[in-house]
């Protein structure tokens, strides 16, 4: 398993809350960033996860946080950030940053590995 694989069951629905999107062929309605998707239940589980394609949520199907969501959850596991609005905003901001950083790191490692360049030290230093 790669450090960039993601497991939504170990996340806090960051992509369903922190990210905003416009109504398009990828999403059936517009959602501002840092607002909950209307399809989340009170435990941050997607109520329509098994029907995303049928309900026109192609953007959700295609999305990858590159492991940033579960990583962030582990960093904040001992803090009640969901009940502190300032801390919640900070966590969502960090999600945006980490997602971009993890994507860059994944592309970098994949490129180096495809050229048979040793990446073990880089992986250890990055994480």
């Amino acid at each position: 398993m790669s450090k960039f694989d993601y497991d939504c069951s170990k996340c806090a629905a960051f992509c369903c809350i922190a990210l905003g999107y416009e109504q398009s062929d990828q999403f059936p309605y517009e959602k501002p960033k840092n607002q909950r998707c209307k399809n989340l239940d009170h435990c941050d589980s997607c109520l329509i996860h098994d029907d995303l394609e049928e309900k026109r949520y192609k953007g959700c199907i295609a999305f990858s946080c590159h492991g940033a969501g579960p990583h962030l959850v582990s960093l904040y596991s001992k803090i009640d950030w969901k009940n502190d609005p300032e801390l919640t905003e900070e966590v969502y901001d960090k999600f945006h940053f980490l997602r971009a950083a993890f994507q860059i790191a994944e592309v970098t490692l994949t490129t180096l590995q495809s050229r048979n360049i040793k990446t073990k030290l880089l992986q250890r230093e990055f994480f």
Side-chain angles (χ1 to χ4, degrees), residues 12-31:
F14 291 122
C15 59
C16 305
I17 302 171
L19 300 178
Y21 49 79
E22 296 179 3
Q23 183 175 359
S24 67
D25 66 334
Q26 300 294 305
F27 297 101
Y29 75 100
E30 183 174 335
K31 186 189 89 58

Side-chain angles (χ1 to χ4, degrees), residues 4-50:
F4 305 107
D5 290 338
Y6 58 96
D7 180 350
C8 297
S9 70
K10 295 179 181 175
C11 192
F14 291 122
C15 59
C16 305
I17 302 171
L19 300 178
Y21 49 79
E22 296 179 3
Q23 183 175 359
S24 67
D25 66 334
Q26 300 294 305
F27 297 101
Y29 75 100
E30 183 174 335
K31 186 189 89 58
K33 74 176 197 166
N34 297 346
Q35 289 190 13
R36 296 174 61 78
C37 173
K38 65 182 180 182
N39 298 305
L40 287 178
D41 67 14
H42 66 284
C43 295
D44 294 333
S45 293
C46 180
L47 296 168
I48 64 164
H49 192 268
D50 293 336

Side-chain angles (χ1 to χ4, degrees), residues 37-127:
C37 173
K38 65 182 180 182
N39 298 305
L40 287 178
D41 67 14
H42 66 284
C43 295
D44 294 333
S45 293
C46 180
L47 296 168
I48 64 164
H49 192 268
D50 293 336
D51 303 315
L52 288 172
E53 188 167 4
E54 178 186 320
K55 303 242 184 219
R56 298 186 17 224
Y57 285 86
K58 295 176 187 172
C60 296
I61 295 167
F63 181 78
S64 171
C65 72
H66 306 279
H71 183 77
L72 196 56
V73 166
S74 71
L75 291 176
Y76 282 87
S77 64
K78 296 180 180 169
I79 300 171
D80 185 18
W81 58 271
K82 288 184 178 183
N83 292 313
D84 180 335
E86 285 183 29
L87 193 53
T88 299
E89 186 175 342
E90 176 184 316
V91 171
Y92 291 156
D93 287 345
K94 286 182 179 178
F95 173 72
H96 291 285
F97 173 80
L98 278 178
R99 181 177 155 251
F102 276 43
Q103 183 177 16
I104 291 166
E106 181 177 27
V107 169
T108 301
L109 286 174
T110 301
T111 302
L112 293 172
Q113 290 168 344
S114 72
R115 296 185 176 149
N116 294 319
I117 298 171
K118 294 180 183 177
T119 60
K120 204 171 216 173
L121 180 62
L122 177 63
Q123 289 179 40
R124 191 171 42 237
E125 293 294 320
F126 187 77
F127 296 98

